[in-house]
Amino acid sequence: MDLIASPSKTKEILSKYPFVFRKKYGQNFLIDSHVLNKIIKGAQITEEDCVLEIGPGIGSLTQVLSFQAKKVIAVEIDDQLIPILNDTLGQYDNIKIIHGDILKIDLKKLIEEENSNQPIKVVANLPYYITTPIIMELLESKLPVKSITIMVQKEVAQRLAASPGSKDYGAISVAVQYYSKPCLLANVPHNCFIPRPNVDSAVIHLEVLNEPTVSVKDEALFFKIIKAAFSQRRKTLINSLYNQNVISISKEEMASILSRVGLDENIRGEVLSIDEFAKLSDALSEYLK
Ligand code: SAM
């Protein structure tokens, strides 16, 4: 069986169609079967699984997913790719190709219809421009999603998995780690794609948690604090919260609340763990009552 992802097969397929790469859709197709295997292995796909693939391209990853999974639903935005996908994947009866924009599709309805609302696994070589919106949509909407295994820009993967105090740690790290447990699987050099992107990529696996990592009394306040804490990285947490008007409270009162939850008044937001953000958020929420 010919793998679509082999460089010669990919070139053969593309030469048969008047296909033009669309940069705006982040089209860099995988041509390395070792990387495909790492994604499949990391996603832990079994024959019970229904997989949602975002952006199948010419079907390189889709084909291999279909070997492992019960069903693959692949959503592709580019109309040029639909006839190509029908050609490359037509012989596999467990693949459903949907022409649409993943950011506009009603994912709740899709999962209801295609998998009787049972949890799915998301796998994708993501176009860079939709990385953050789609990850946050999948996590925040509390959709039935077991895990998300994605290829993203290397720097983005490092940010998603970053620990408190590191240079990559930011609001997105805390948000993702609130809903899931990230694990970096592999770095992928730019020569594994056609055309070659300007940056290196990495595969990251997010195990979606049944319950958030920490429980907080007021989720909206928790996220407001996180946003403010990282908005001015060189400022102390007190100054960031104060400048961003997170709550109307004097700096002195803020210092006393910080000390009550065991934090120094000069601490900077970027060193707080998710647990510490939760404690602070609960203390501020108590104060507001
Ligand atoms: N999965 C293929 C592979 O690994 O070779 C292609 C990956 S390529 C990085 C990203 C794919 O996502 C392209 O096929 C692109 O057209 C598609 N895409 C971009 N934006 C999309 C969107 N909003 N919804 C669905 N697909 C999208």
Side-chain angles (χ1 to χ4, degrees):
M1 166 113 22
D2 270 356
L3 277 187
I4 299 169
S6 77
S8 57
K9 188 76 188 163
T10 295
K11 280 181 193 140
E12 182 197 314
I13 293 167
L14 290 175
S15 69
K16 278 207 292 183
Y17 292 88
F19 175 77
V20 184
F21 281 96
R22 289 182 168 152
K23 223 174 168 184
K24 66 173 178 174
Y25 289 149
Q27 290 173 338
N28 302 100
F29 299 156
L30 249 176
I31 47 160
D32 187 309
S33 58
H34 301 291
V35 177
L36 281 183
N37 290 337
K38 281 184 188 160
I39 298 175
I40 300 283
K41 206 165 155 222
Q44 296 161 32
I45 307 295
T46 72
E47 52 192 22
E48 312 285 300
D49 287 323
C50 175
V51 176
L52 168 66
E53 189 196 358
I54 300 162
I58 59 167
S60 326
L61 178 56
T62 331
Q63 180 192 36
V64 187
L65 285 168
S66 87
F67 297 155
Q68 307 286 326
K70 182 177 75 183
K71 182 173 182 178
V72 185
I73 311 157
V75 179
E76 174 56 60
I77 197 170
D78 189 349
D79 50 3
Q80 300 181 94
L81 289 167
I82 304 302
I84 304 184
L85 286 165
N86 287 332
D87 176 10
T88 57
L89 303 174
Q91 60 184 300
Y92 304 106
D93 56 12
N94 64 343
I95 300 177
K96 175 154 183 181
I97 297 156
I98 296 177
H99 181 206
D101 180 344
I102 197 72
L103 297 175
K104 293 192 181 142
I105 278 181
D106 183 341
L107 289 173
K108 192 171 177 298
K109 196 163 150 232
L110 183 78
I111 300 171
E112 254 166 39
E113 285 173 2
E114 298 295 335
N115 203 37
S116 316
N117 214 25
Q118 292 306 302
I120 54 150
K121 290 182 178 172
V122 176
V123 180
N125 169 13
L126 274 187
Y128 299 138
Y129 81 105
I130 62 167
T131 306
T132 307
I134 194 64
I135 294 176
M136 289 323 292
E137 157 78 11
L138 289 167
L139 294 174
E140 279 175 345
S141 311
K142 307 204 164 63
L143 296 163
V145 172
K146 276 192 226 172
S147 63
I148 305 170
T149 310
I150 42 177
M151 170 111 67
V152 294
Q153 213 170 315
K154 191 172 155 193
E155 286 69 25
V156 175
Q158 284 166 341
R159 256 183 265 149
L160 301 182
S163 308
S166 68
K167 72 170 179 17
D168 296 319
Y169 191 57
I172 185 80
S173 328
V174 188
V176 163
Q177 292 169 32
Y178 178 70
Y179 295 108
S180 72
K181 198 167 167 280
C183 174
L184 280 172
L185 296 179
N187 288 332
V188 181
H190 65 165
N191 56 3
C192 296
F193 303 90
I194 180 172
R196 288 182 184 189
N198 296 327
V199 290
D200 286 338
S201 304
V203 182
I204 186 164
H205 177 76
L206 307 176
E207 195 68 45
V208 182
L209 304 167
N210 294 329
E211 296 294 329
T213 313
V214 287
S215 99
V216 287
K217 294 191 174 114
D218 181 344
E219 219 172 58
L221 177 65
F222 173 70
F223 282 112
K224 222 165 140 186
I225 292 170
I226 290 161
K227 196 169 162 222
F230 290 101
S231 61
Q232 296 167 297
R233 291 187 84 99
R234 273 163 306 171
K235 294 227 167 8
T236 63
L237 180 61
I238 290 189
N239 279 335
S240 301
L241 296 177
Y242 192 74
N243 295 345
Q244 302 286 310
N245 270 324
V246 171
I247 61 170
S248 28
I249 173 175
S250 71
K251 286 190 184 177
E252 290 69 33
E253 283 168 304
M254 195 91 87
S256 125
I257 291 176
L258 281 184
S259 120
R260 228 179 299 149
V261 294
L263 297 173
D264 188 276
E265 65 178 278
N266 293 316
I267 200 160
R268 297 216 296 238
E270 67 211 36
V271 303
L272 261 69
S273 68
I274 192 161
D275 231 29
E276 289 170 324
F277 275 118
K279 281 192 187 128
L280 175 62
S281 166
D282 282 357
L284 286 173
S285 141
E286 271 307 304
Y287 175 89
L288 288 173
K289 275 191 184 159

